Amino acid sequence: MFEKVIRENQTKTQLVLALYVAIFLFIGLLVDVVRINAPSLQEGLYALIFFHITPLVTLGMGVLALGAIGVTILYFKRIMLSGSEYKELLPSDRSLSRQESDLVQILQEVVRESNTPFTPKLYLMEAPYMNAFASGWSEQNSLIAVTTALMQKLDRDELKAVVAHELSHIRHGDIRLTLVVGVLSNIMLLAANYAVYMFMGNSRDKGAQSARTILLVLQFILPLITMFLQTFLSRSREYMADSGAAYIMKDNRPMIRALQKISTNYAQSDFSEVDANPTRRAAYLFDPKEAFSTHPTIENRIKALLGR
């Protein structure tokens, strides 16, 4: 079952990557149809796809898509942690506080008790809200980050459950999927918005007008596609990670208490303007925006942990 989950998540990642590259190329083709002022949409696409006319913008969009994937792989840590003060917690660092040292020990315990053959890097992120996330392109370069508020306000078992939850994301092989969706979605939407204003001069032929209309429609459709994709992928993986935490700890109660405390923390304060990094939202343990949220509700997650 565990190996099946990993294979499914690897397949999903490859499909999502292919989908995003295809959307980038499609946007490029539409802009190229406008650029060459094609007499019809079909003729323009045919000429560009079979290189009767060089699809300059399409090639550029392909390079942009592949470049975005490459940058994501190389600089994911900087992308995910940017906008906040953070520090890596190392077992050998004697300057760590008691709570920080205990957090390092908790990670080591969870890794040992789950028989995990790797240890993610551990980061503490300065933030007034209670949250955590896991990220990385592979198990070998994975990381777990928790906020200072989470570390300070949860008891040891609850904190251990959260760490186990994030380790489960890595063990399930879905951190790469979350990283890709979070980063490429934002770049894709920016590319679609800018594409509408590229080569949008006085082209009057029918093909150019049709391509321009499709680009305008994409401005409204792509955010909905992105939202649906993030919701579809993220909700199932949160249930799985909650179950993974309960399995590792052999107890579902610490995870339930942690979810309740985190939810209460967000209910008592508005942190919507605090986190300046939009790519972290899909990766967080908890998403406070339940309307169109990438995460299931706390109530449903607790029901699932209770087997209801």
Side-chain angles (χ1 to χ4, degrees):
M1 182 64 183
F2 183 67
E3 293 175 352
K4 180 183 178 183
V5 168
I6 293 176
R7 287 196 303 270
E8 287 176 350
N9 282 331
Q10 289 174 340
T11 301
K12 284 182 181 179
T13 301
Q14 293 167 356
L15 290 174
V16 169
L17 283 172
L19 175 62
Y20 276 117
V21 172
I23 292 174
F24 272 82
L25 294 176
F26 182 59
I27 292 171
L29 282 170
L30 292 173
V31 175
D32 270 321
V33 168
V34 177
R35 177 179 64 85
I36 66 175
N37 198 19
S40 74
L41 183 62
Q42 292 84 353
E43 289 180 33
L45 290 175
Y46 181 86
L48 293 163
I49 291 172
F50 291 97
F51 279 79
H52 296 163
I53 300 174
T54 304
L56 296 175
V57 179
T58 306
L59 293 174
M61 290 294 284
V63 171
L64 175 62
L66 295 177
I69 294 171
V71 169
T72 301
I73 295 171
L74 292 174
Y75 299 104
F76 77 91
K77 184 183 78 173
R78 190 177 302 175
I79 292 169
M80 295 300 290
L81 293 171
S82 66
S84 301
E85 293 184 18
Y86 61 90
K87 63 184 290 189
E88 184 177 357
L89 303 184
L90 299 169
S92 58
D93 189 349
R94 296 182 178 277
S95 66
L96 297 180
S97 67
R98 182 189 59 79
Q99 284 185 311
E100 291 170 345
S101 296
D102 196 35
L103 183 56
V104 171
Q105 186 179 1
I106 285 173
L107 174 60
Q108 293 172 335
E109 287 177 9
V110 171
V111 167
R112 184 174 61 253
E113 292 168 8
S114 61
N115 295 316
T116 302
F118 61 90
T119 302
K121 291 184 178 180
L122 181 61
Y123 288 87
L124 183 65
M125 195 170 69
E126 185 68 37
Y129 51 85
M130 299 170 64
N131 228 319
F133 66 87
S135 189
W137 192 252
S138 66
E139 294 176 347
Q140 287 67 37
N141 69 3
S142 59
L143 65 85
I144 292 174
V146 302
T147 64
T148 49
L150 185 87
M151 181 185 70
Q152 294 163 358
K153 295 180 180 180
L154 294 185
D155 67 32
R156 197 179 193 280
D157 278 351
E158 294 159 358
L159 190 56
K160 187 173 180 179
V162 169
V163 172
H165 171 103
E166 300 305 338
L167 183 66
S168 294
H169 277 310
I170 302 171
R171 282 160 52 89
H172 297 165
D174 60 31
I175 52 171
R176 183 185 303 181
L177 187 62
T178 308
L179 184 64
V180 167
V181 172
V183 175
L184 288 189
S185 294
N186 290 305
I187 296 175
M188 181 187 70
L189 294 177
L190 283 173
N193 290 335
Y194 280 115
V196 173
Y197 302 102
M198 293 174 64
F199 305 104
M200 292 296 171
N202 297 317
S203 301
R204 298 190 177 207
D205 282 354
K206 186 176 179 181
Q209 291 178 355
S210 298
R212 184 187 295 121
T213 300
I214 295 173
L215 283 168
L216 289 170
V217 172
L218 281 177
Q219 281 192 303
F220 300 97
I221 293 178
L222 285 179
L224 297 176
I225 294 175
T226 298
M227 187 183 302
F228 171 79
L229 190 61
Q230 288 179 329
T231 302
F232 173 73
L233 296 174
S234 296
R235 291 194 172 197
S236 60
R237 51 183 287 282
E238 290 305 323
Y239 286 125
M240 289 167 53
D242 288 343
S243 299
Y247 178 79
I248 291 171
M249 295 193 67
K250 298 179 175 56
D251 187 358
N252 59 5
R253 290 171 296 179
M255 191 70 232
I256 291 173
R257 295 199 306 270
L259 289 172
Q260 290 171 332
K261 287 186 178 181
I262 294 169
S263 176
T264 300
N265 174 247
Y266 274 89
Q268 292 174 342
S269 302
D270 181 12
F271 298 117
S272 59
E273 303 299 325
V274 176
D275 193 349
N277 188 333
T279 60
R280 284 198 291 253
R281 181 179 169 186
Y284 270 140
L285 169 72
F286 173 71
D287 182 1
K289 297 179 180 179
E290 291 190 350
F292 305 107
S293 173
T294 58
H295 293 50
T297 64
I298 291 296
E299 291 78 8
N300 287 339
R301 290 171 71 174
I302 291 174
K303 285 179 181 179
L305 282 166
L306 293 172
R308 296 176 184 173

